[in-house]
């Protein structure tokens, strides 16, 4: 219930325009995927995406035992135009088997009509007893898919009574078809719809009787005229007839029985997802889609297989090593014989090489496969992305939403390409991408335009109440409540003008105001330059922090860089003050890092964006210690550790500040390590060692030695102020010795 209420809350923030656009696009895509209302644009887009995957993600290279004997232009020029006499075809077959010792021959040549008794007898004699696979073709009534067996029973019963060669010319009456490979009964109650043929001239019966096997050579043109698939099985009469490529594989492995998948057949309505060739030695799996088509993974452009000219074979000039024990296809690449196809890899692709690609993919188990779950996958992914976008777009900035959209698209495309390359799964991509880009993109664009219009209004409204950085962030992300108090990891800085109260008594108010402006302006600019947020001005003091509302990397480093620059800029200001006979200005800066609450604080009458918490108070206390130790900047141990690789620090003391129970170690940053020459570093190390030696004596309770050590430092231009403070502290400790277990920690009574 909690989850449902949370989802309802987020969905309640969705814009009506976004809901309408996403719902409309989803319906369009769903109707296309389920083929209720096919969308021409999506078909074109998917065809394009499919072609690109075929081109750029070919199957992994394999050693193919496939060669194409090509009735090419050279063969036609030397041996005469097509059709050749069957004496020549017989001689070519004899040459291939006797001289070149090929393994299996697939004839991509139709043998439906007789030539002469002697010519036909010669060709039959060349075929007989050899692994030769003949070809035939079907005529389709119209473009489309066959209905399921239960829907076409009456029509097929009528077709079964007719001879497949009825109404054909007299000379081909002796032509026929081989026995069907599977009965249409295998389709009963299955969600598979093979192409249904109208008629076939078949194969001349005498050639069919002597051939080892036979298969159809019908390609399958998609709506855009591209051949991407080959019907593994075509429905005709009461049977299903296999393709030439499958018949060649079946012959090459020594003959095999064919069966439809045996896993899904008990599931009512399940599609046939593969057919299987089974013989005692091996099984060959051939994945098919719901139209019983094989998706061909083209190895590459035309010429990806070895071609041998037919005239070279007949003359005995071909390389025997190219043909021995190979599966050979006899076909043509000659443009005049009209066996060139439009494929994803070329608009002029020899039909015989399509068969070669199919056989290669079957033998290497690289056939592409469109699993039955792809429709559900597309609709579920699209629904989830759209649903998530309704939630995210209500709260994320347009930039983040766009970044998320791009990541989702990259993930979907990446997964799709992985499936294609490694699993050989053909999962439609265009409908999903179109739905996401069109639906989510339109909704995102509307929100982006709306956010842009609102940003100026938001910035103008909030700039009066919060620091400029907060107003700008709110303008970029107006739907996010950045004013709400939240816990942040902050680096907090307090800076104060030393002796300002006494100075204010000596100068007139207008001069004090001018002096404050001259001092606070460069200090504030420095904080902004280092990505800090100025919380407030407290008289002559500035409170600033890093880490909210904008997250800042290395916030301690930025705060300390700002503090060092503030000291430098103040030094440059001293000459101007001296020229106007104004007193020298000194500031103290305290920096601490820790968790604090940041947000809109105050009352219903007045509020401000500020930070509160123990760590804020501690930073203020550290700033107060700068006057006690006579230094410009003090930082806590957390800041020191974050910056110790960049800055040289001096340990100053370990104290318990007013209002706290635990001790804190304080340090003074001296210089940027990279800026120090060896001599300068040696100088700093020397007087750091002097200080640490004096402080060690102080911690040990050796008051006399500690006093002497501090007295030696009292004239030091940098350590003198701290030495004086410790001398007063030593006098106090001698008067009232500390309890047993003294560890050098001093409790401060003043802020």
């Amino acid at each position: 219930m909690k989850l449902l209420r949370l989802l309802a809350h987020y969905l309640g923030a969705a814009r009506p325009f976004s809901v309408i656009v996403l719902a409309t696009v989803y319906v369009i895509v769903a109707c296309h995927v389920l083929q209720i209302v096919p969308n021409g644009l999506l078909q074109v887009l998917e065809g394009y995406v499919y072609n690109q995957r075929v081109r750029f993600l070919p199957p992994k290279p394999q050693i193919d035992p496939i060669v194409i004997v090509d009735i090419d232009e050279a063969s036609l020029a030397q041996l005469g135009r097509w059709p050749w006499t069957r004496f020549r075809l017989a001689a070519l077959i004899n040459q291939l088997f006797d001289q070149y010792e090929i393994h299996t021959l697939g004839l991509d040549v139709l043998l439906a009509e007789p030539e002469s008794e002697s010519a036909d007898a010669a060709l039959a004699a060349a075929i007989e007893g050899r692994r030769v696979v003949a070809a035939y073709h079907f005529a389709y009534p119209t473009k489309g898919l066959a209905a399921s067996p239960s829907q076409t029973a009456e029509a097929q019963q009528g077709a079964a009574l007719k001879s497949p060669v009825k109404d054909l010319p007299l000379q081909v009456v002796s032509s026929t078809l081989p026995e069907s490979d599977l009965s249409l009964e295998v389709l009963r109650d299955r969600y598979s719809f093979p192409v249904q043929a109208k008629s076939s001239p078949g194969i001349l019966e005498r050639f069919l009787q002597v051939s080892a096997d036979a298969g159809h050579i019908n390609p399958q043109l998609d709506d855009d005229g591209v051949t991407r698939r080959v019907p593994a099985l075509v429905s005709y009469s009461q049977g299903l007839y296999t393709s030439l490529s499958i018949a060649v594989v079946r012959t090459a492995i020594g003959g095999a029985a064919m069966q439809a998948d045996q896993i899904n057949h008990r599931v009512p309505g399940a599609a046939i997802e593969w057919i299987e060739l089974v013989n005692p030695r091996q099984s060959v799996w051939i994945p098919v889609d719901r139209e019983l088509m094989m998706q061909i993974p083209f190895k590459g452009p035309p010429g990806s297989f070895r071609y041998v000219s037919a005239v070279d074979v007949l003359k005995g000039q071909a390389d025997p090593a190219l043909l021995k024990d190979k599966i050979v296809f006899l076909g043509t690449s000659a443009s005049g014989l009209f066996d060139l196809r439009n494929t994803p890899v070329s608009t002029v692709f020899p039909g015989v090489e399509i068969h070669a690609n199919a056989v290669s993919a079957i033998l290497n188990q690289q056939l592409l496969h469109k699993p039955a779950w792809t429709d559900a996958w597309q609709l579920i992914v699209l629904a989830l992305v759209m649903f998530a976008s309704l939630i995210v777009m209500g709260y994320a900035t347009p930039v983040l939403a766009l970044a998320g959209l791009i990541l989702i698209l990259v993930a979907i495309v990446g997964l799709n390409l992985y499936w294609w390359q490694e699993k050989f799964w053909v999962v439609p991509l265009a409908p999903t991408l179109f739905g996401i880009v069109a639906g989510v993109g339109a909704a995102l664009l509307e929100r982006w335009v709306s956010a842009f219009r609102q940003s100026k209004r938001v910035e103008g409204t909030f700039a009066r109440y919060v620091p400029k950085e907060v107003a700008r962030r709110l303008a970029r992300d107006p739907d996010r409540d950045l004013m709400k108090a939240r816990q942040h990891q902050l680096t907090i800085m307090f800076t104060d003008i030393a002796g300002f109260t006494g100075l204010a008594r000596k100068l007139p108010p207008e001069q004090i105001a001018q002096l404050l402006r001259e001092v606070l302006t460069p200090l504030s600019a420095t904080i902004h330059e280092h990505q800090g947020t100025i919380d407030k001005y407290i008289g002559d003091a500035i409170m600033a922090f890093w880490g909210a509302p904008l997250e800042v990397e290395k916030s301690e480093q930025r705060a300390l860089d700002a503090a060092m620059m503030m000291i430098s800029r103040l030094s440059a200001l001293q000459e101007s003050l001296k020229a106007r006979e104004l007193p020298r200005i000194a500031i103290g800066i305290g920096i601490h890092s820790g968790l604090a609450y940041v947000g809109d604080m105050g009352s219903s009458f007045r509020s401000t964006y500020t930070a509160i918490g123990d760590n804020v108070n501690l930073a203020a206390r550290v700033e107060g210690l700068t006057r006690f130790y006579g230094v410009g900047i003090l930082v806590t141990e957390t800041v020191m550790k974050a910056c110790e690789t960049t800055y040289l620090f001096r340990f100053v003391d370990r104290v318990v500040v007013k209002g706290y129970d635990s001790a804190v170690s304080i340090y003074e940053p001296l210089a940027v390590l990279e800026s120090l020459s060896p001599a300068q570093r040696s100088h700093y190390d020397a007087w750091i060692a002097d200080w640490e030696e004096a402080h060690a004596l102080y911690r040990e309770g050796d008051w006399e030695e500690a006093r002497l050590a501090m007295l030696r430092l009292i004239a030091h231009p940098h350590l003198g102020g701290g030495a004086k403070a410790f001398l007063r502290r030593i006098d106090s400790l001698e008067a009232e010795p500390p309890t047993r277990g003294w560890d050098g920690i001093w409790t401060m009574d003043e802020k």
Side-chain angles (χ1 to χ4, degrees):
M1 291 301 294
K2 266 188 179 180
L3 180 60
L4 291 176
R5 284 197 297 270
L6 187 62
L7 289 176
H9 169 72
Y10 282 121
L11 288 174
R15 299 169 186 262
F17 177 85
S18 300
V19 176
I20 293 171
V21 168
L22 292 173
T24 302
V25 172
Y26 187 83
V27 170
I28 293 173
V29 174
C31 289
H32 171 76
V33 170
L34 300 176
Q35 292 296 291
I36 299 172
V37 183
N39 185 286
L41 174 62
L42 293 181
Q43 289 175 337
V44 171
L45 290 176
E46 181 56 34
Y48 175 79
V49 173
Y50 185 99
N51 292 351
Q52 301 312 308
R53 286 178 289 182
V54 170
R55 289 172 186 167
F56 294 107
L57 293 175
K60 295 176 182 178
Q62 301 284 344
I63 299 176
D64 278 312
I66 302 168
V67 177
I68 296 172
V69 172
D70 188 13
I71 304 172
D72 55 6
E73 301 287 355
S75 299
L76 296 176
Q78 295 185 46
L79 301 177
R81 67 180 184 177
W82 188 264
W84 288 345
T85 174
R86 286 180 178 159
F87 287 115
R88 183 170 293 158
L89 287 179
L92 184 60
I93 293 173
N94 286 328
Q95 189 82 333
L96 286 170
F97 280 97
D98 294 339
Q99 179 175 341
Y100 291 103
E101 299 179 354
I102 67 171
H103 186 275
T104 302
L105 176 64
L107 294 176
D108 188 16
V109 176
L110 295 177
L111 302 173
E113 300 178 2
E115 180 181 325
S116 66
E117 177 61 31
S118 58
D120 291 347
L123 181 57
I127 294 173
E128 187 172 12
R130 290 167 170 163
R131 287 184 286 268
V132 178
V133 182
Y136 57 92
H137 79 277
F138 288 108
Y140 297 158
T142 56
K143 181 171 176 59
L145 302 180
S148 65
S150 59
Q151 294 172 321
T152 59
E154 294 182 3
Q156 291 186 355
Q157 286 173 2
L161 298 175
K162 298 178 182 179
S163 166
V165 293
K166 185 178 180 180
D167 300 328
L168 294 176
L170 179 64
Q171 66 268 28
V172 296
V173 169
S174 60
S175 297
T176 186
L177 288 174
E179 292 185 7
S180 63
D181 294 274
L182 290 174
S183 168
L184 280 179
E185 285 299 313
V186 302
L187 299 181
R188 189 169 300 280
D189 299 325
R190 302 298 292 269
Y191 191 71
S192 295
F193 309 96
V195 172
Q196 184 172 338
K198 177 182 179 181
S199 62
S200 173
I203 304 173
L204 206 63
E205 189 168 355
R206 72 189 303 170
F207 297 140
L208 181 61
Q209 290 175 349
V210 296
S211 297
D213 207 336
H216 73 78
I217 56 173
N218 289 69
Q220 176 64 23
L221 300 182
D222 287 343
D223 292 336
D224 55 0
V226 179
T227 299
R228 300 180 178 91
R229 304 177 294 169
V230 170
L233 293 166
V234 170
S235 170
Y236 178 69
S237 185
Q238 290 295 309
L240 294 169
Y241 294 81
T242 193
S243 67
L244 176 65
S245 52
I246 293 179
V248 166
V249 171
R250 181 165 54 189
T251 300
I253 66 174
M258 179 181 288
Q259 64 182 23
D261 64 66
Q262 299 298 298
I263 295 179
N264 292 336
H265 77 286
R266 295 183 181 178
V267 181
I272 293 175
E273 293 197 57
W274 63 84
I275 57 178
E276 185 179 4
L277 301 178
V278 183
N279 69 18
R281 295 185 300 278
Q282 68 182 113
S283 294
V284 177
W285 300 75
I286 304 172
V288 293
D289 59 22
R290 68 185 178 192
E291 300 165 41
L292 300 187
M293 302 237 187
M294 298 182 293
Q295 310 258 353
I296 308 301
F298 292 88
K299 290 180 64 175
S304 296
F305 290 86
R306 289 296 187 98
Y307 276 73
V308 177
S309 179
V311 67
D312 290 340
V313 173
L314 282 169
K315 292 182 177 181
Q317 296 175 352
D319 183 358
L322 291 179
L323 294 167
K324 182 177 175 59
D325 296 326
K326 296 296 193 299
I327 296 173
V328 173
F329 277 98
L330 176 62
T332 181
S333 65
S335 58
L337 299 187
F338 305 105
D339 191 27
L340 300 176
R341 310 289 178 182
N342 184 8
T343 67
V345 294
S346 175
T347 56
V348 183
F349 196 90
V352 66
E353 195 166 346
I354 295 177
H355 302 309
N357 273 282
V359 170
S360 172
I362 293 171
L363 292 176
N364 292 309
Q365 293 294 279
Q366 292 180 331
L367 269 177
L368 297 171
H369 176 213
K370 184 178 180 182
W373 47 262
T374 57
D375 291 351
W377 164 260
Q378 295 175 80
L379 297 181
I380 290 172
V381 168
L382 185 57
L384 289 176
V385 172
M386 288 183 168
F387 184 77
S389 69
L390 285 175
I391 296 175
V392 172
M393 283 193 297
Y395 294 89
T397 65
V399 173
L400 287 177
L402 178 62
L405 175 62
I406 293 173
L407 286 176
I408 289 173
L409 293 175
V410 170
I412 291 173
V413 172
L415 181 61
N416 191 283
L417 297 181
Y418 168 78
W419 282 342
W420 178 287
Q421 185 76 355
E422 300 298 329
K423 304 292 186 181
F424 304 105
W425 291 347
V426 180
V427 181
L429 189 57
T432 307
L433 297 184
F434 172 83
I436 294 174
V437 172
V440 179
L444 182 59
L445 180 62
E446 184 271 340
R447 188 172 185 277
W448 205 322
V449 172
S450 177
F452 180 77
R453 290 173 179 171
Q454 191 179 2
S455 63
K456 294 299 179 182
R457 295 196 301 268
V458 172
E459 184 175 352
T461 299
F462 283 95
R464 293 176 292 173
Y465 304 103
V466 298
K468 189 182 298 183
E469 290 78 7
V470 180
R472 288 175 180 169
R473 176 68 176 272
L474 285 170
R476 291 196 297 269
D477 192 5
D479 294 335
R480 185 178 176 187
D481 187 10
L482 290 174
M483 300 297 289
K484 183 178 180 181
R486 294 182 177 87
Q487 193 175 57
H488 291 267
Q489 179 70 30
L490 298 183
T491 298
I492 308 110
M493 171 194 286
F494 278 85
T495 180
D496 190 18
I497 299 176
F500 184 77
T501 302
L503 185 64
R505 295 195 187 104
K506 299 176 183 177
L507 300 175
E510 60 273 12
Q511 200 167 12
I512 286 295
Q514 176 63 25
L515 181 62
L516 273 178
R517 190 175 297 111
E518 288 189 47
V519 173
L520 296 183
T521 297
L523 301 186
S524 302
T526 303
I527 293 171
H528 286 169
E529 290 168 10
H530 290 81
Q531 299 184 7
T533 298
I534 296 176
D535 184 305
K536 63 175 71 72
Y537 297 101
I538 313 167
D540 61 316
I542 303 174
M543 174 184 170
F545 51 78
W546 283 255
L550 305 175
E551 292 185 4
V552 178
E553 292 184 1
K554 298 182 178 179
S555 61
E556 296 90 351
Q557 179 75 46
R558 292 183 185 275
L560 189 49
D561 288 345
M564 298 293 279
M565 184 175 288
M566 290 162 76
I567 296 294
S568 176
R569 285 185 172 178
L570 188 60
S571 297
L573 183 62
Q574 302 296 348
E575 290 299 323
S576 174
L577 296 176
K578 182 179 180 181
R580 287 177 285 164
E581 298 182 351
L582 292 174
R584 182 179 180 85
I585 297 295
I587 61 171
I589 301 174
I591 305 175
H592 175 55
S593 178
L595 293 173
Y597 282 93
V598 185
D600 189 23
M601 309 285 184
S603 68
S604 58
F605 296 98
R606 183 182 178 88
S607 63
T608 184
Y609 185 82
T610 187
I612 61 173
D614 281 346
N615 287 309
V616 176
N617 297 333
L618 180 55
R621 299 289 189 271
V622 171
E623 183 277 322
L625 295 176
T626 58
R627 290 180 290 279
F628 181 84
Y629 294 100
V631 296
I633 304 173
L634 284 177
V635 303
T636 59
E637 189 172 10
T638 55
V639 177
M640 183 277 294
K641 287 184 176 179
C643 304
E644 61 183 346
T645 59
T646 308
Y647 278 90
L648 177 65
F649 288 92
R650 172 177 72 97
F651 170 75
V652 176
D653 201 4
R654 186 164 173 79
V655 297
V656 177
V657 299
K658 188 174 178 63
Y660 286 79
D661 296 326
S662 57
V664 58
S665 296
I666 53 176
Y667 297 80
E668 180 191 11
L670 299 175
V672 178
L673 289 172
E674 288 184 353
S675 67
L676 295 178
S677 66
Q680 290 172 323
R681 179 61 187 268
S682 177
H683 174 71
Y684 276 118
D685 287 344
W687 58 262
I688 289 174
D690 291 341
W691 174 262
E692 290 181 348
E693 179 184 356
H695 199 278
L697 294 170
Y698 160 77
R699 290 197 307 271
E700 293 168 2
D702 189 346
W703 312 127
E704 287 300 325
E705 291 298 326
R707 178 180 287 107
L708 291 174
M710 291 298 177
L711 284 171
R712 286 193 293 270
L713 298 176
I714 201 166
H716 193 285
H718 196 88
L719 303 179
K724 291 177 183 178
F726 270 87
L727 286 172
R728 292 192 297 270
R729 189 184 297 176
I730 291 170
D731 290 340
S732 175
L733 288 169
E734 279 188 320
E736 294 184 21
T739 59
R740 196 172 215 179
W742 163 256
D743 55 6
I745 295 175
W746 182 260
T747 300
M748 304 296 294
D749 296 326
E750 300 177 356
K751 292 185 178 180

